[in-house]
């Protein structure tokens, strides 16, 4: 027995199709875009990594000691180790991108500590913040 479509009542079938991309997926997509932007910003703001040779490492701490230029922070100490000849300390620092203009091959660095002498008192601000 063959039944044709004329035998049935012609009723319209409503097919409810859901959208192919649910609104729930927009939240992870937005989170992915924001995290990508933050990673890009972090890498674009990093400057050069420099090495500094110092006579000693008194008061210096990894990830705490700041490098300043005209009282503005331009970098942070990332590593401290003894040189190969065992006569000095090698300090590695991550500089900010805007500090690159101030760095030359023979740039001089020194550690600011509190000092009391015949000339007076200097570096008192390091009592609270530590050497820089």
């Amino acid at each position: 027995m063959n039944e044709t479509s004329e035998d049935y009542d012609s009723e319209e079938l409503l097919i409810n199709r859901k959208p192919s991309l649910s609104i729930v997926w927009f939240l992870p997509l937005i989170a992915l875009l924001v995290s990508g932007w933050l990673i890009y910003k972090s890498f674009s703001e990093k400057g050069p990594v420099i090495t500094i040779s110092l006579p000693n490492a008194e008061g210096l701490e990894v990830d705490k000691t700041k490098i300043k230029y005209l009282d503005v922070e331009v970098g942070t100490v990332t590593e401290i180790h003894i040189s190969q000849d065992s006569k000095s300390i090698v300090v590695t620092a991550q500089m900010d991108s805007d500090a690159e203009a101030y760095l030359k091959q023979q740039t001089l660095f020194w550690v600011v500590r509190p000092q009391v002498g015949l000339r007076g008192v200097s570096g008192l601000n390091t009592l609270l913040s530590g050497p820089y």
Side-chain angles (χ1 to χ4, degrees):
M1 259 176 111
N2 273 345
E3 293 181 20
T4 62
S5 61
E6 295 173 0
D7 293 343
Y8 295 106
D9 293 331
S10 56
E11 294 180 18
E12 286 187 30
L13 295 175
L14 295 176
I15 299 174
N16 187 9
R17 292 186 180 227
K18 293 185 177 183
S20 60
L21 186 62
S22 175
I23 195 164
V24 174
W25 289 104
F26 283 117
L27 185 61
L29 181 63
I30 290 171
L32 182 66
L33 290 173
V34 168
S35 62
W37 178 75
L38 289 173
I39 291 170
Y40 167 76
K41 185 177 177 187
S42 173
F43 280 112
S44 67
E45 289 178 354
K46 282 188 176 181
V49 175
I50 64 169
T51 56
I52 305 165
S53 180
L54 296 170
N56 62 44
E58 181 183 351
L60 300 181
E61 296 182 45
V62 174
D63 293 331
K64 289 185 181 180
T65 304
K66 304 297 180 189
I67 297 175
K68 294 184 179 184
Y69 179 70
L70 299 174
D71 283 333
V72 175
E73 291 182 15
V74 293
T76 305
V77 172
T78 56
E79 289 181 33
I80 300 172
H81 37 278
I82 300 171
S83 66
Q84 290 181 355
D85 64 0
S86 300
K87 294 183 180 180
S88 63
I89 301 298
V90 177
V91 176
T92 305
Q94 175 69 54
M95 304 299 288
D96 296 340
S97 62
D98 56 346
E100 193 168 359
Y102 310 118
L103 299 171
K104 306 291 182 230
Q105 185 66 29
Q106 297 299 320
T107 302
L108 297 176
F109 291 88
W110 62 91
V111 180
V112 177
R113 296 182 188 96
Q115 295 179 347
V116 178
L118 296 175
R119 292 185 178 180
V121 179
S122 66
L124 286 180
N125 57 345
T126 61
L127 290 175
L128 298 175
S129 65
Y132 59 91

